[in-house]
Amino acid sequence: MEKSIRKSLEIITTTPAVISAMLHNLGDEWVNSNEGENTWTTKEVVAHLVVIEETDWLPRIRIILTEGVQKPFAPVDMQAHFEPARNNSMQELLNQFAVLRTRSIEELNGFNLQESDLLKTGLHPVIGEVTLQQLLATWVTHDLSHIAQVARILAKQHKMEVGGFKKYLRILEQN
């Protein structure tokens, strides 16, 4: 259990710095570009991370630890990040994400989780019962997924310029 939490913390603790290193001081053309129709910009991805940090991970962990399956998780609003992306600069979003994540890590550490806690369950509105361990693993994987998405969005801004090298750059073909 200790190993599982420590392993999760190794990723989720560094995510804000990784995302910031990728996007800090990039121009508007970079942060407002996407992968095509109905895809997110890097700015929208960061706004999504902010919204999820406020509404998903810790609120759901609290429910698992205090109420279990008696209180279902609130569904994630997959539109909620568009307004913050419009109304904040990239730097403001990066700063907000870093502050929120620091608070989340502090609260998570404050729970002093035991191995038995990882088996406690909550009720996801679509999936059904999920364990705390599954939620923590999803948090890590969600972070890594969005790091990869940001890299892919940025890489695709040069898709037309790489010429024949495109066949060696699998990131340009991923969605």
Side-chain angles (χ1 to χ4, degrees):
M1 187 286 307
E2 172 84 22
K3 180 181 175 189
S4 176
I5 294 171
R6 187 179 72 248
K7 206 171 142 187
S8 295
L9 285 168
E10 288 176 4
I11 297 294
I12 65 175
T13 301
T14 62
T15 301
V18 171
I19 295 283
S20 184
M22 295 172 78
L23 299 173
H24 179 70
N25 287 333
L26 290 184
D28 286 344
E29 191 173 346
W30 285 105
V31 301
N32 293 314
S33 294
N34 61 28
E35 298 178 83
E37 191 175 337
N38 297 319
T39 64
W40 293 354
T41 66
T42 56
K43 193 173 179 189
E44 291 166 342
V45 172
V46 177
H48 167 75
L49 290 168
V50 168
V51 168
I52 293 298
E53 200 66 29
E54 294 175 316
T55 63
D56 193 319
W57 309 119
L58 265 293
R60 289 179 175 190
I61 290 170
R62 286 186 216 109
I63 289 170
I64 288 173
L65 295 175
T66 61
E67 302 181 62
V69 296
Q70 302 308 311
K71 180 180 179 183
F73 301 157
V76 172
D77 180 352
M78 293 304 290
Q79 305 299 312
H81 62 280
F82 290 118
E83 185 177 339
R86 277 191 304 274
N87 296 329
N88 293 279
S89 70
M90 177 60 88
Q91 195 56 53
E92 289 168 328
L93 292 168
L94 290 169
N95 292 341
Q96 189 175 8
F97 179 49
V99 167
L100 290 169
R101 179 56 61 92
T102 297
R103 289 181 190 153
S104 293
I105 299 298
E106 288 170 357
E107 186 173 348
L108 182 63
N109 285 330
F111 290 135
N112 294 314
L113 297 173
Q114 304 301 309
E115 190 166 340
S116 59
D117 292 321
L118 291 178
L119 301 176
K120 291 181 178 178
T121 58
L123 191 59
H124 187 278
V126 176
I127 300 169
E129 275 194 40
V130 297
T131 66
L132 178 55
Q133 185 161 3
Q134 290 169 331
L135 186 64
L136 287 174
T138 301
W139 190 356
V140 170
T141 305
H142 181 266
D143 276 13
L144 292 170
S145 174
H146 285 301
I147 290 168
Q149 180 184 20
V150 166
R152 195 177 63 236
I153 293 167
L154 295 174
K156 286 188 176 180
Q157 302 318 301
H158 286 292
K159 187 173 185 174
M160 304 312 282
E161 288 84 14
V162 298
F165 291 107
K166 182 178 169 189
K167 66 183 175 184
Y168 301 111
L169 302 168
R170 293 181 63 193
I171 194 170
L172 297 178
E173 299 308 318
Q174 298 171 343
N175 289 325

